[in-house]
């Protein structure tokens, strides 16, 4: 509806498409906190940041799961070097565990051939994400990290209405487009009453191998000034490191050691 404020708890309109039934965990699972990682557009490293965050939390001794809600562009299994198909019984799906014990669920882990496309419309994608939450045996998790689909479209809206997301992290890059894209994501979070923990700027710079100088290959960052203007926190600025890219391509994201991700992890733990 044109005058919808997206506050479904107070909505009294019958048949409103925004009235999404809340997802309910199975009685064999318990999740303490859900952290969603969103980007206003694709190609900024959202899945990379989500993977690093899950890995960092796991290294600190927390029980962690990661849900790949980017159903039509799933990349989490490849980053962690895991393959399906998943098994299950009696309506319960067993997630695949990574080398370090992170529980992973992704559309790619349900396919016989991981390169088969999922060509579905929004409602079907939303229903699959619901199954990822309700039917997966997450057991006891301290943190569930959700790798959101890019943008602020129908599937992201459904997830925010359906799942009890505690915190949102927005990933961006240092391009002129940043203010517009981040502003859209922030406004969406505000409309949906989702707490924004802050913004991570990925691909912020390259370190010169000779002098150690930070080289802004995508231009000077304006994220700090924009953060003051829009009143959000900058949780980190991540460099481009080719060896890390290689590790991710090899399915070894858990071997990536990026000091800058620690501030992001501290922000989550310290909340």
């Amino acid at each position: 509806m044109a005058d919808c404020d997206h506050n479904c708890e107070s909505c009294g309109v019958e048949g409103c498409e925004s009235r999404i039934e809340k997802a309910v965990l199975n009685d064999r699972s318990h999740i303490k906190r859900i952290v969603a990682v969103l980007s206003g557009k694709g190609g900024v490293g959202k899945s990379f940041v989500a993977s690093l965050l899950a890995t960092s939390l796991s290294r600190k001794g927390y029980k962690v799961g990661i849900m790949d809600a980017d159903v039509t562009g799933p990349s989490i299994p490849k980053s962690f070097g895991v393959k399906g198909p998943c098994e299950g019984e009696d309506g319960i799906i067993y997630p695949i565990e990574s080398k370090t014990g992170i529980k992973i669920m992704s559309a790619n882990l349900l396919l016989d051939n991981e390169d088969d496309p999922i060509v579905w419309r929004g409602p079907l994608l939303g229903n699959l994400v619901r199954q990822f939450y309700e039917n997966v045996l997450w057991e006891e998790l301290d943190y569930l990290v959700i790798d959101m689909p890019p943008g602020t479209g129908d599937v992201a809206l459904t997830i925010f209405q359906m799942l009890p997301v505690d915190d949102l992290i927005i990933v961006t890059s240092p391009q002129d487009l940043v203010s517009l894209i981040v502003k859209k994501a922030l406004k969406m979070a505000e409309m949906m009453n989702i707490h924004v923990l802050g913004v991570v700027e990925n691909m912020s710079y390259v370190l010169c191998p000779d002098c150690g100088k930070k080289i802004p290959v995508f231009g000077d960052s304006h994220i700090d000034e924009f953060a003051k203007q829009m009143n959000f926190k900058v949780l980190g600025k991540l460099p481009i490191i080719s060896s890390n890219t290689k590790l991710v391509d090899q399915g070894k994201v858990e071997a990536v050691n990026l000091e800058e991700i620690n501030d992001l992890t501290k922000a989550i733990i310290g909340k």
Side-chain angles (χ1 to χ4, degrees), residues 42 48 61 79 108 112 136 147-148 156 173 178 187 198 246:
F48 178 60
S79 297
N108 260 20
D112 291 328
V136 170
D147 182 24
M148 296 283 291
S173 60
V178 63
K187 285 188 175 181
K246 185 177 181 180

Side-chain angles (χ1 to χ4, degrees), residues 14-187:
E14 293 295 331
C16 174
E17 293 181 358
S18 294
R19 292 181 62 82
I20 305 295
E21 183 180 352
K22 298 291 186 182
V24 180
L25 271 177
N26 60 77
D27 58 11
R28 297 166 62 185
S29 299
H30 178 254
I31 300 170
K32 293 180 181 178
R33 283 182 64 189
I34 298 179
V35 181
V37 182
L38 175 74
S39 63
K41 62 184 289 293
V44 299
K46 167 185 57 65
S47 298
F48 178 60
V49 172
S51 300
L52 288 181
L53 174 59
T55 299
S56 180
L57 288 168
S58 178
R59 285 173 181 164
K60 293 184 180 299
Y62 294 101
K63 296 178 180 178
V64 182
I66 184 165
M67 178 196 295
D68 191 350
D70 189 359
V71 177
T72 59
S75 59
I76 296 299
K78 179 173 176 57
S79 297
F80 282 89
V82 299
K83 293 181 179 295
C86 293
E87 297 181 350
E89 58 183 356
D90 299 326
I92 292 293
I93 306 169
Y94 302 133
I96 302 293
E97 288 197 15
S98 72
K99 296 179 180 65
T100 62
I102 297 172
K103 297 179 185 295
I104 300 171
M105 178 47 60
S106 170
N108 260 20
L109 299 178
L110 301 176
L111 302 173
D112 291 328
N113 300 306
E114 63 181 10
D115 56 354
D116 287 345
I118 295 180
V119 187
W120 293 354
R121 295 191 183 276
L124 288 176
L125 299 176
N127 286 337
L128 183 60
V129 173
R130 177 185 292 276
Q131 287 186 308
F132 285 174
Y133 183 75
E134 293 186 333
N135 300 115
V136 170
L137 186 61
W138 294 111
E139 298 183 291
E140 295 291 324
L141 291 184
D142 295 305
Y143 295 95
L144 175 65
V145 177
I146 301 180
D147 182 24
M148 296 283 291
T152 55
D154 179 61
V155 178
L157 175 64
T158 300
I159 292 171
F160 284 148
Q161 291 175 325
M162 183 172 56
L163 302 185
V165 176
D166 295 293
D167 296 296
L168 177 65
I169 294 166
I170 298 172
V171 181
T172 187
S173 60
Q175 295 165 307
D176 291 340
L177 216 44
V178 63
S179 59
L180 177 63
I181 291 170
V182 173
K183 190 177 292 186
K184 286 178 180 291
L186 288 169
K187 285 188 175 181

Side-chain angles (χ1 to χ4, degrees), residues 216-255:
V217 292
F218 290 110
D220 293 332
S221 170
H222 301 288
I223 193 72
D224 291 313
E225 303 96 283
F226 186 57
K228 290 180 182 179
Q229 176 190 340
M230 294 295 294
N231 193 30
F232 64 82
K233 293 181 180 178
V234 178
L235 300 175
K237 298 178 181 179
L238 309 185
I240 301 172
I241 301 177
S242 59
S243 59
N244 287 344
T245 303
K246 185 177 181 180
L247 286 172
V248 173
D249 288 343
Q250 294 174 341
K252 299 176 180 178
V253 71
E254 290 163 298

